[in-house]
Amino acid sequence: MIPHLLDEASQELEAFARAPRRMLVLDYDGTLAPFAQTPGTARIDPSAAQALERLMARADAETWIGVASGRRIDDLRHRLPPLHFLIGLHGLEVAFGEGPYRLRFDPAVSDQALERLRKRLGAIVRHGARVEDKQHSIAVHVRGLDPAPAAAAVLAFEEAVEEERRAGAPLECMRGHLVVEARPVQAGKHRAIEEVRAALGAATLGIMGDDLTDEEAFRAFPSALTVVVMSTPRPTAARFYLRSPQETAVMLARLVELH
C-alpha cells in the first residue's frame, strides 16, 4: 500500500510547498467535490473552496494552481473560485485565468463519430442510464442503477464506441466511477498538463485525482507529487493517497499554512 500523504508522508507535502516554480493540478469530481447522484449536483467541499481561495490570495509569481477535469471549462467556472488555469474535457479545453478557453486540437473527425453515436443512445437510455452530452465527448452515467442494468448500459455504450473505432473513428472509451465516456483519443489530461506546465515554466508538479483519467497523468509524471483520492485501496500509479475530498481540503489547508 502506498503511503497516506498526511499521515505518513507529510514531509513530501512540505517539500512541494518549498519547491521552486510549483504547479498544483487537481481533479474536481471525487477529489475536490464528493460524488453526487448527478453531475449537476456535485459541489466542491466548502473547506476545499475556502482553502483554494486562501492559496490563490497568497500565491506568488512561482506558484500556479488549477483544475483538470472531464467537465467543460464553462461548467468548472461556475463551481470554483478563480484559479490560474483550467483544463476541461479531459485535456481538450485549456484556459488561463479568466481568459477564454481554447481547444488543443481540432475535434472535427471525432465530433462526426459522436454525432453518429447520438443516434444510438436510445438503447443505452432504455437501461436507465443518464446521458451527459458535452459536445466533444459523451458520458453515460449509471449511478443509482442496479448492477445488472448498469452493466448492460455500459456494455452497450462501449460496444457502440468500439464499432466506431473499428471504422477508424479517433475515439476511446474511459471508465470512471459509475460512468463511461467516449472522448477523442488526442485528449488526455497529461498532454494538457504538459502544455500548461511548459507555458508557465513550472518546474515542480503536484497532481491529484481519483479515477482512470488521472492515472494517465500519474504515469506521465512519475517524479511529481502524485496523489490518488480513494476510499478503497486499488492499484494506482500515484505515489501517495488520500481517502476523500474532505482530506483534500485538509491537505490544501496545510499548504496554506506552509506557504
Side-chain angles (χ1 to χ4, degrees):
M1 183 67 177
I2 59 176
H4 186 272
L5 180 63
L6 298 175
D7 294 345
E8 304 168 90
S10 60
Q11 71 280 2
E12 297 287 344
L13 187 61
E14 294 168 6
F16 175 79
R18 293 192 303 267
R21 304 196 309 281
R22 52 202 174 274
M23 176 173 130
L24 179 62
V25 188
L26 302 130
D27 188 20
Y28 184 80
D29 295 277
T31 300
L32 287 170
F35 287 111
Q37 189 64 28
T38 64
T41 56
R43 298 288 184 267
I44 185 172
D45 182 274
S47 297
Q50 183 182 54
L52 280 176
E53 289 173 349
R54 293 176 65 194
L55 273 174
M56 289 295 294
R58 297 188 181 191
D60 56 27
E62 289 198 343
T63 302
W64 300 281
I65 303 160
V67 162
S69 170
R71 292 175 180 265
R72 301 207 68 171
I73 284 177
D74 286 343
D75 182 29
L76 290 170
R77 281 181 164 154
H78 290 301
R79 300 173 185 276
L80 291 162
L83 301 173
H84 293 113
F85 63 89
L86 293 171
I87 294 169
L89 284 181
H90 305 292
L92 172 54
E93 298 177 340
V94 174
F96 292 94
E98 295 300 301
Y101 73 81
R102 66 173 178 84
L103 300 182
R104 288 183 44 252
F105 56 87
D106 183 356
V109 178
S110 55
D111 281 354
Q112 292 170 7
L114 291 173
E115 185 58 34
R116 292 190 293 270
L117 276 177
R118 289 183 180 94
K119 300 173 183 177
R120 305 178 59 178
L121 292 175
I124 289 97
V125 174
R126 280 198 295 273
H127 291 291
R130 296 181 301 277
V131 174
E132 183 185 9
D133 195 329
K134 307 178 190 178
Q135 184 182 356
H136 303 300
S137 71
I138 297 174
V140 172
H141 297 267
V142 295
R143 188 173 298 277
L145 296 185
D146 290 334
V154 169
L155 181 61
F157 186 67
E158 288 180 333
E159 288 178 345
V161 175
E162 185 57 30
E163 286 185 27
E164 289 292 336
R165 283 173 53 83
R166 287 196 295 267
L171 290 179
E172 60 186 351
C173 244
M174 296 292 293
R175 286 198 183 195
H177 293 290
L178 299 174
V179 62
V180 61
E181 185 162 353
R183 71 177 197 185
V185 296
Q186 305 100 310
K189 291 181 183 180
H190 58 300
R191 297 187 178 99
I193 289 170
E194 175 55 27
E195 288 188 13
V196 171
R197 185 207 63 76
L200 295 174
T204 305
L205 275 178
I207 304 173
M208 296 186 60
D210 69 290
D211 62 23
L212 291 178
T213 62
D214 301 299
E215 291 292 334
E216 291 178 318
F218 299 157
R219 290 191 295 270
F221 303 100
S223 62
L225 179 74
T226 50
V227 185
V228 62
V229 181
M230 58 181 179
S231 57
T232 303
R234 63 169 174 82
T236 178
R239 298 171 56 209
F240 310 100
Y241 83 99
L242 294 174
R243 300 182 186 91
S244 66
Q246 290 75 27
E247 288 198 346
T248 300
V250 173
M251 184 219 72
L252 291 171
R254 182 65 193 282
L255 282 177
V256 172
E257 296 172 358
L258 293 169
H259 201 277

